[in-house]
């Protein structure tokens, strides 16, 4: 695959984030993109709703090597703790990965799978590698905005195939939401952590306001 500059890598991430939006819309899923559910906490890429209530979030990632995963590891762990603590243990967090999972160590994959309730490895879809390569080709050397590039990406022929596979996997995860959220060990961790986060937030609010 072509090597991207730092700027192009950032743009690629934004393009892939936006490429998820029409996938959710096509299934009639209610969602919010980068919604600030709490001023002091990290904004998730997507919040997914059911009957106007947040039931899940989705982190859109494109880890292209193990070094990238090392940089992001604690950010993702912290984000999962924040979401679980705020919305409760029945809320699930999904990792939507566009990159090649074999590009980083198995221990990192295991860690990601342990903290996220569900994972969608788009690269492993039948045309997942082709989709990522197409996205990189669109971004490489372009000076267009992420929104314009995402629009171009979702109008490629390969997008329709990815959309079908994505929809099937997401529906599978959401339909098993209760079971995914019922790990007794993690539920206890989130409950304990929740008290700490809420105390910390209240302390920060008092200092700021």
């Amino acid at each position: 695959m072509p090597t991207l500059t730092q700027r192009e890598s950032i743009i690629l991430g934004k393009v892939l984030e936006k490429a998820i939006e029409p996938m959710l819309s096509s299934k009639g899923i209610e969602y919010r993109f980068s919604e600030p559910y709490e001023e002091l906490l990290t904004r998730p890429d997507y919040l997914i709703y059911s009957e106007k209530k947040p039931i899940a979030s989705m982190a859109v990632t494109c880890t292209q090597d193990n070094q990238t995963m090392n940089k992001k590891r604690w950010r993702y762990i912290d984000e999962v703790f924040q979401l679980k603590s705020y919305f409760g243990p029945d809320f699930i967090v999904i990792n939507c990965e566009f990159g090649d999972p074999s590009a980083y160590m198995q221990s990192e994959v295991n860690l990601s799978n342990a903290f996220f309730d569900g994972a969608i490895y788009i690269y492993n879809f039948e045309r997942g590698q082709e989709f990522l390569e197409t996205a990189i080709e669109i971004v490489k050397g372009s000076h267009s905005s992420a929104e314009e590039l995402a629009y171009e990406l979702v109008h490629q022929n390969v997008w329709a195939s990815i959309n079908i596979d994505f929809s099937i996997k997401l529906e599978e995860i959401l339909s098993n939401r209760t079971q995914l959220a019922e790990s007794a060990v993690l539920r206890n961790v989130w409950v304990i952590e929740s008290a700490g986060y809420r105390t910390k937030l209240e302390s920060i609010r008092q200092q700021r306001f």
Side-chain angles (χ1 to χ4, degrees):
M1 292 186 188
T3 301
L4 299 179
T5 65
Q6 183 177 7
R7 174 192 172 276
E8 289 170 340
S9 294
I10 293 172
I11 294 296
L12 175 64
K14 293 180 178 179
V15 167
L16 294 174
E17 284 178 2
K18 296 298 289 183
I20 291 294
E21 199 161 359
M23 296 183 190
L24 295 174
S25 296
S26 68
K27 295 297 293 181
I29 293 175
E30 184 184 357
Y31 66 89
R32 302 288 186 276
F33 176 69
S34 190
E35 181 174 80
Y37 66 94
E38 163 60 54
E39 181 186 4
L40 304 175
L41 299 182
T42 304
R43 295 185 183 188
D45 293 329
Y46 286 92
L47 277 177
I48 297 174
Y49 288 72
S50 176
E51 298 179 351
K52 299 184 179 181
K53 176 185 177 183
I55 61 168
S57 73
M58 182 179 294
V60 181
T61 59
C62 185
T63 305
Q64 299 184 56
D65 54 53
N66 194 57
Q67 184 178 5
T68 304
M69 183 63 181
N70 285 335
K71 292 177 181 177
K72 293 183 176 180
R73 178 200 299 140
W74 293 111
R75 185 261 190 187
Y76 290 134
I77 290 175
D78 191 50
E79 182 176 334
V80 172
F81 268 96
Q82 289 179 8
L83 288 161
K84 290 281 189 176
S85 300
Y86 191 88
F87 291 111
D90 292 331
F91 184 91
I92 65 169
V93 186
I94 304 166
N95 179 27
C96 181
E97 173 63 70
F98 280 93
D100 182 0
S102 67
Y104 44 94
M105 295 186 297
Q106 186 60 43
S107 60
E108 300 289 359
V109 178
N110 294 341
L111 181 65
S112 175
N113 289 339
F115 273 86
F116 288 101
D117 298 296
I120 302 175
Y121 291 106
I122 289 182
Y123 191 90
N124 291 340
F125 291 170
E126 183 178 355
R127 299 183 69 182
Q129 181 177 348
E130 179 187 351
F131 185 76
L132 179 59
E133 290 172 349
T134 300
I136 291 173
E137 289 174 4
I138 287 173
V139 169
K140 183 67 178 175
S142 175
H143 296 286
S144 300
S145 68
E147 289 75 13
E148 291 170 328
L149 296 175
Y151 180 85
E152 181 178 348
L153 178 61
V154 301
H155 283 82
Q156 302 294 313
N157 290 334
V158 67
W159 182 85
S161 172
I162 297 300
N163 186 33
I164 292 171
D165 292 340
F166 173 86
S167 298
I168 292 171
K169 185 61 180 177
L170 180 59
E171 184 176 350
E172 175 187 319
I173 291 173
L174 293 178
S175 64
N176 291 309
R177 183 168 59 90
T178 302
Q179 292 88 335
L180 289 171
E182 281 184 346
S183 168
V185 174
L186 288 180
R187 285 174 66 91
N188 290 336
V189 170
W190 305 136
V191 170
I192 293 171
E193 189 66 20
S194 177
Y197 261 113
R198 291 188 180 280
T199 301
K200 179 180 179 181
L201 285 172
E202 187 58 35
S203 175
I204 294 174
R205 284 197 191 94
Q206 290 177 359
Q207 293 174 18
R208 290 181 59 180
F209 305 109

